[in-house]
Amino acid sequence: MVTLKIDGRKVTVRKLSTILDAARKLDIPIPTLCHHPELSPYGGCRLCLVEIEGIAKPAASCTTFAKEGMIVNTSSPYLEKLRRTNLELILSDHPNECMLCERSGDCKLQELAYFYGLRENRFKGEIRVYSKKDNNPFVTRDMEKCILCGQCVRICDEIQGVGAIDFAYRGLNTRVSPPFEKDLNCEFCGQCVAVCPTGALTGKMWAHKGRQNFKEVETICPYCGCGCNITLYVRRNEIIRISSNEETINEGWLCAKGRFGYGFVNSPERLTKPLIRIAPKENSIFNVKQTNPPLPPFTKVGRGGINNAALFKEVTWEEAFQYVSKRLKEIKENYGPDAIGGLASARCTNEENYLFQKFMRVVIGTNNVDHCARY
Ligand code: SF4
Ligand code: SF4
Ligand code: SF4
Ligand code: FES
């Protein structure tokens, strides 16, 4: 452990902690744009500068290790002037598009520009022009808004283990890119979108759906057994986007399904009433006429498909329960309980799944039970 003094306050942190870690432990605010606590230090934005007693020049607190007896100052007119200038330099190569930008209101760069009152920029000159559109299905990549903080590159490599993107070219041409500037073709976990501090990376599904005035709903991802926490941003009863809080079991990380797979919730194709498949010999139960010749039993039809009426009938829950119970009884009597198997779902609660296996074992009399939530 090492003990140091920051802004006159003592703090003890583990060896190999940075000054920024120590300052955060004391809740001392230091502006950052390229730092992420779960990623390797980078030191690119130079906003987190601090003064250290005995060291002539200010140092980046996110890449400087805390040392025993260090005396650190995080705020002074000189430091604020340096931070302001560095921010101006970043903004000098950034489009002024806040009015149309998907990230407006949730953009770290915009927030810092507001904090430092940066309206005019003293540094005029050549700026990057990058108009290539990426036709991948999930991530809008607007590289003119990229500030080269490298968080997307590091998260894709260090957390996701994919390495789908990296810095390409040099100087004013530097950009974050998939290999050979092709369209992004990756796992589409969206972790890069989640950490991007600007509007350079956004979800394609969010576009023009609204930026603020959401109802935030904390819930659990319905897909697999990991049970990641998700936050739904809901507007007029529609999910506009999904994120995840860092202080949850999944530490804010999500996979492609959790982050982008919410289209089914408001889909008009979603089943809202029970349907019963009408097998050829059972059509008398509901007096549904079979087609002539009969359709093969596993013909794939959509809910509104032309053959729908021939294979499915919409029924009430009561009718569905009666039908299921009648058929299970018949199968058990004719072929024994092991002719029946039950598949439970990750979308149910633990209690519901527990009851389901109990039903299969005690009422039906079989151990043929499985579950899609075995990650
Ligand atoms: S990325 Fe941020 S600062 Fe840049 S245009 Fe969008 S909202 Fe404005
Ligand atoms: S979506 Fe995931 S896999 Fe694809 S580039 Fe971003 S972090 Fe990497
Ligand atoms: S795309 Fe976003 S996260 Fe990646 S380097 Fe640019 S600003 Fe940073
Ligand atoms: S946060 Fe330290 S240099 Fe960017």
Side-chain angles (χ1 to χ4, degrees), residues 33-34 128 141-143 145-153 165 167 176 192-193 195-201:
L33 274 175
C34 67
R128 284 170 301 169
R141 300 177 60 247
D142 186 344
M143 287 300 108
K145 290 181 190 157
C146 172
I147 57 166
L148 302 174
C149 72
Q151 291 196 62
C152 55
V153 175
I165 44 177
F167 291 111
V176 171
C192 50
V193 177
V195 296
C196 181
T198 73
L201 300 177

Side-chain angles (χ1 to χ4, degrees), residues 79 82 97 106 108 125 133 224 236 275 300 369:
L79 281 177
L82 288 181
E97 272 184 22
D106 181 26
K108 256 184 135 181
K133 293 278 171 270
C224 78
R236 294 192 203 107
L275 301 176
K300 196 176 172 199
V369 192

Side-chain angles (χ1 to χ4, degrees), residues 31 150 179 297 334 354:
N334 292 335
Y354 175 81

